[in-house]
Amino acid sequence: MTSWLKRTRRILISVICCATVLFTACSAKPQQVTPVVDYRDLVEPLDQKPMETASEESVQADADAVATWETKEPEDNVITITISAAGDVTLGNYEGQDYSGSFRQKVEETEDEGYFFSNVYDIFSADDMTIVNLEGVLTTSEEIKEGQTYCIKGDPSYVAFLTHGAIETVSMANNHRMDFGEAGSRETVEMLDREGIIYAYDNNVGIYETKGIRIGYVSVRYWGEGMEYLMQNGIEKLQEEGVDLILACCHWGIERTFYPEDYQREFGKKCIDWGADLVIGHHPHVLQGIEEYRGKFIVYSLANFCFGANRNPPDKDTMIFQQTFTFVDGMKQEDANIQVIPCSVSSISNWNDYRPTPAIDNEAQRILERINEYSRDFGVQFDESGHLKTGE
């Protein structure tokens, strides 16, 4: 082959190869590139007009607006805390109680951990803290307290009933905490700890926090020497802890009496003088009145609530006491936002089904009238809705 032909062939081959490469590059699918988001893409576009030079008046107006915005005082930080308090709760039977119609039988019949507080769950779950008096222990201990007429206990697993009832805190200083000795009390505390329920008794104060507000409480049983010291010392301890609210829980009074003893009134006022914001009482198993002292309230007896130790108490009237506290910029305001919710310890009238239930219509008014009667001498009265009457 001549040299001329060889050169021509090489040129043709080069042209064909270049054409092939160009064709492949042009026809290939372009690579997908994720665009970078620009904050300017997230705002609405301005009208596409030529930029104008700002006038001195508009510049000064903008400066004044910025100065006003920078110096404007922030709105008050308002927090409300609603506390619900109910009375004696015994999650079990007393030793020797018949099985028929008992709390234990109801547990086995229902097989529902939410049953017992189901009719008040909407109230307790809507508040910020619910507190009851846990009377009786949750234990497997057989160490019965000598000389005690009624020794009350439930299975340790019953602690879940409190959680399913939206109950976050309990007071424990009462005449049944030691029914089954130190072992019974210790196991109860262990179960409460495991369930995340706050408790208090004697030297052990409780602190519950919600919405950034710390609520402390002391629980004492008013018998024997040293009870006033326990309460005063407990309140001081909470003050040193820097809590925002302090509750005083008092197990006191005489069973089945509707009016407090003189010492209850004296001690309740001392609790407030020492620094308590609310005094909550129980033990009489029936309702007693409510007193106002220095702008704060003493609830002398909340009565029974979910009471497993009595299959058919003759007086089933009870209540939920609620108080809403207001904090502005972290400072508690002095107000009197309280309400009582009349209830029965049972959802049926002829027996105790251990299911506390809000009363309605005539029954609600009847219970409110009782509360008003017991509170009349203290100058406290409630209207038909259960709210505190003011200006009377």
Side-chain angles (χ1 to χ4, degrees):
M1 182 180 293
T2 65
S3 59
W4 179 83
L5 290 174
K6 290 180 180 179
R7 286 196 304 271
T8 303
R9 184 180 179 184
R10 285 196 297 269
I11 291 169
L12 289 172
I13 291 172
S14 298
V15 170
I16 292 170
C17 290
C18 290
T20 302
V21 171
L22 288 170
F23 176 79
T24 302
C26 293
S27 61
K29 184 178 180 180
Q31 183 178 358
Q32 298 296 316
V33 178
T34 302
V36 177
V37 176
D38 191 319
Y39 77 94
R40 291 168 294 185
D41 296 331
L42 304 179
V43 299
E44 294 182 2
L46 299 175
D47 293 336
Q48 300 300 311
K49 295 180 180 179
M51 182 178 293
E52 297 178 357
T53 304
S55 66
E56 291 185 7
E57 291 80 3
S58 64
V59 170
Q60 184 59 47
D62 290 344
D64 292 343
V66 170
T68 302
W69 174 76
E70 288 178 343
T71 59
K72 184 180 179 181
E73 291 292 330
E75 292 184 3
D76 292 336
N77 181 22
V78 179
I79 296 175
T80 58
I81 299 293
T82 298
I83 296 175
S84 299
D88 297 330
V89 168
T90 61
L91 302 178
N93 300 353
Y94 65 81
E95 198 70 10
Q97 187 179 29
D98 289 342
Y99 177 78
S100 177
S102 68
F103 187 89
R104 287 185 181 275
Q105 184 183 41
K106 183 61 68 174
V107 172
E108 294 174 5
E109 283 180 356
T110 60
E111 296 183 340
D112 179 3
E113 293 178 328
Y115 165 83
F116 296 97
F117 297 99
S118 57
N119 286 348
V120 291
Y121 177 82
D122 288 347
I123 297 171
F124 290 166
S125 62
D127 64 22
D128 297 293
M129 170 180 155
T130 303
I131 185 167
V132 301
N133 175 53
L134 182 60
E135 194 152 16
V137 292
L138 304 173
T139 184
T140 57
S141 171
E142 299 295 335
E143 184 186 340
I144 297 177
K145 183 178 181 179
E146 185 177 352
Q148 179 80 311
T149 304
Y150 298 103
C151 291
I152 304 170
K153 75 172 182 177
D155 189 85
S157 64
Y158 293 178
V159 70
F161 302 162
L162 298 171
T163 304
H164 283 274
I167 296 168
E168 298 89 3
T169 59
V170 299
S171 59
M172 288 180 62
N174 53 60
N175 52 310
H176 290 283
R177 183 177 68 83
M178 299 299 293
D179 281 0
F180 289 84
E182 287 289 350
S185 177
R186 184 171 57 252
E187 188 171 10
T188 304
V189 166
E190 289 172 356
M191 296 308 298
L192 292 170
D193 279 333
R194 187 178 304 177
E195 201 71 12
I197 295 171
I198 308 300
Y199 56 86
Y201 63 91
D202 300 343
N203 283 314
N204 303 282
V205 298
I207 299 177
Y208 179 75
E209 184 170 346
T210 178
K211 295 180 179 177
I213 300 296
R214 301 175 74 220
I215 306 163
Y217 64 104
V218 188
S219 174
V220 303
R221 175 190 174 198
Y222 199 92
W223 282 277
E225 297 180 1
M227 294 302 104
E228 290 198 5
Y229 167 78
L230 284 174
M231 178 59 75
Q232 186 174 12
N233 187 62
I235 290 174
E236 289 176 356
K237 187 184 299 185
L238 291 171
Q239 289 170 332
E240 291 170 2
E241 287 282 343
V243 301
D244 303 290
L245 270 176
I246 296 178
L247 314 182
C249 300
C250 304
H251 204 69
W252 58 8
I254 299 175
E255 293 185 355
R256 297 177 181 83
T257 60
F258 302 114
Y259 294 91
E261 300 290 294
D262 288 343
Y263 85 84
Q264 289 176 256
R265 297 191 64 190
E266 292 171 5
F267 185 58
K269 292 173 182 176
K270 285 182 180 180
C271 292
I272 292 173
D273 290 338
W274 291 330
D277 297 294
L278 172 64
V279 180
I280 300 168
H282 29 72
H283 176 64
H285 301 299
V286 293
L287 291 169
Q288 290 185 354
I290 297 170
E291 184 168 7
E292 183 176 3
Y293 172 69
R294 294 179 56 188
K296 299 173 182 178
F297 294 92
I298 306 168
V299 184
Y300 285 109
S301 177
L302 286 163
N304 294 333
F305 198 62
C306 180
F307 201 74
N310 193 330
R311 292 177 296 172
N312 193 22
D315 190 340
K316 296 181 177 64
D317 292 349
T318 186
M319 68 173 167
I320 298 168
F321 175 88
Q322 284 192 329
Q323 182 162 3
T324 298
F325 297 89
T326 302
F327 293 83
V328 178
D329 293 331
M331 299 297 295
K332 185 174 72 67
Q333 305 303 293
E334 297 301 324
D335 52 21
N337 189 356
I338 67 170
Q339 178 185 14
V340 294
I341 303 172
C343 299
S344 171
V345 301
S346 175
S347 68
I348 55 178
S349 60
N350 62 339
W351 196 255
N352 190 2
D353 65 358
Y354 315 108
R355 197 181 192 188
T357 302
I360 59 173
D361 301 333
N362 291 338
E363 273 297 285
Q365 296 309 308
R366 181 186 62 77
I367 297 171
L368 279 172
E369 287 173 7
R370 289 188 69 182
I371 297 169
N372 280 335
E373 178 186 343
Y374 304 147
S375 306
R376 186 168 289 110
D377 289 343
F378 306 141
V380 172
Q381 294 288 278
F382 298 91
D383 63 21
E384 293 183 355
S385 67
H387 290 88
L388 178 68
K389 288 184 179 180
T390 57
E392 295 189 3

